[in-house]
Amino acid sequence: EAWHLKEIKKCVQQLTRSWRTPIQMLRLNHAGKGSALAAGFREAKTPIVGFADADGAIFADECLSLILEMERQRLEGSAVAVIGSRVRELGVNVDNNWLRYFIGGVFAALLRWIFWVRVYDTQCGAKFFLREAVVPLLSLIRSRTWLWDTELVLFLFRSGRQVKEVGVDWQSVAGSKISLLRDPLLMCWGLIKLRWSFPKLIATSSRETKRTV
């Protein structure tokens, strides 16, 4: 662990010198993807926050395009979130294995059916947000792992904010641990738990948003 931390610090220092931009590194106890992202969003000093999964499935230039689109939406006062979408109908290149494609499609269909939102890919690992729009919602999100960003997007939809979905090129990465039995069950159970608690969370979200405005 000490060796990895040393290498990460060295990488951050190199990027800081190369980009001539201060980069802050947070060291957190392991508590899942959602907890790490929430901590980073709170600490950020920029108007735009976001993330891209570290597996390399989405190239850096695609992430830059999403960031630029988020900045355009911010200046226009339109969407408060720009999320990547691996939907071939949007004219992008998607190199996906059949298992991941099938499970992702089932999850997206269930999400639209249960929550009545028009979004096609909440599981894409590239999303960017207006910090001022999402920070008031962070304390309300119950998920701490893979469902965290899906829950955040649902909060934005249900609070009447605009979310823009943008097609991105995506390639499947070797070493995937997707299980045809386990993962669909976990996804369904996660959505059921979220649907059960969502009305109460939405009411709390409305109070929190009014308090911060």
Side-chain angles (χ1 to χ4, degrees):
E1 180 182 354
W3 180 84
H4 286 296
L5 183 60
K6 183 178 179 180
E7 290 300 310
I8 292 172
K9 286 182 177 178
K10 186 187 298 184
C11 180
V12 170
Q13 291 169 355
Q14 290 173 348
L15 289 174
T16 299
R17 288 194 297 267
S18 176
W19 295 346
R20 298 180 181 178
T21 301
I23 300 175
Q24 182 181 4
M25 185 177 73
L26 303 179
R27 187 176 183 182
L28 308 169
N29 293 326
H30 181 67
K33 167 186 173 180
S35 296
L37 289 174
F41 286 8
R42 289 189 177 99
E43 290 291 326
K45 304 298 189 293
T46 55
I48 295 175
V49 295
F51 69 93
D53 285 351
D55 59 3
I58 300 175
F59 294 120
D61 57 346
E62 293 286 353
C63 294
L64 179 58
S65 296
L66 294 177
I67 294 170
L68 293 175
E69 179 60 30
M70 184 69 263
E71 176 64 9
R72 190 176 72 83
Q73 295 292 321
R74 182 180 76 87
L75 294 175
E76 293 178 354
S78 300
V80 299
V82 172
I83 64 176
S85 181
R86 302 160 296 180
V87 178
R88 293 187 177 93
E89 287 74 12
L90 294 176
V92 296
N93 296 316
V94 180
D95 175 20
N96 207 351
N97 63 60
W98 72 270
L99 181 57
R100 185 185 290 271
Y101 184 79
F102 172 74
I103 293 177
V106 170
F107 180 85
L110 283 173
L111 187 78
R112 292 194 296 271
W113 178 64
I114 294 174
F115 293 97
W116 289 88
V117 293
R118 189 176 180 180
V119 60
Y120 296 97
D121 186 6
T122 61
Q123 293 304 103
C124 182
K127 296 181 177 70
F128 296 91
F129 309 90
L130 287 188
R131 183 180 180 277
E132 64 181 13
V134 298
V135 166
L137 304 175
L138 297 179
S139 61
L140 303 173
I141 300 177
R142 297 294 183 263
S143 306
R144 289 294 176 263
T145 53
W146 61 272
L147 199 58
W148 185 87
D149 45 312
T150 298
E151 190 171 344
L152 177 56
V153 169
L154 287 174
F155 269 122
L156 292 173
F157 270 114
R158 288 303 178 93
S159 59
R161 312 304 292 269
Q162 185 178 346
V163 176
K164 183 170 183 178
E165 204 168 2
V166 177
V168 293
D169 292 341
W170 189 92
Q171 64 176 2
S172 182
V173 178
S176 174
K177 299 180 179 178
I178 289 181
S179 167
L180 185 58
L181 178 61
R182 180 198 62 203
D183 291 327
L185 291 176
L186 287 175
M187 288 179 174
C188 290
W189 178 237
L191 288 177
I192 290 171
K193 289 197 300 182
L194 183 56
R195 181 64 184 89
W196 181 262
S197 61
F198 213 67
K200 188 184 298 183
L201 293 175
I202 286 295
T204 307
S205 168
S206 299
R207 292 195 297 270
E208 290 291 328
T209 303
K210 291 177 182 177
R211 189 177 299 130
T212 55
V213 172

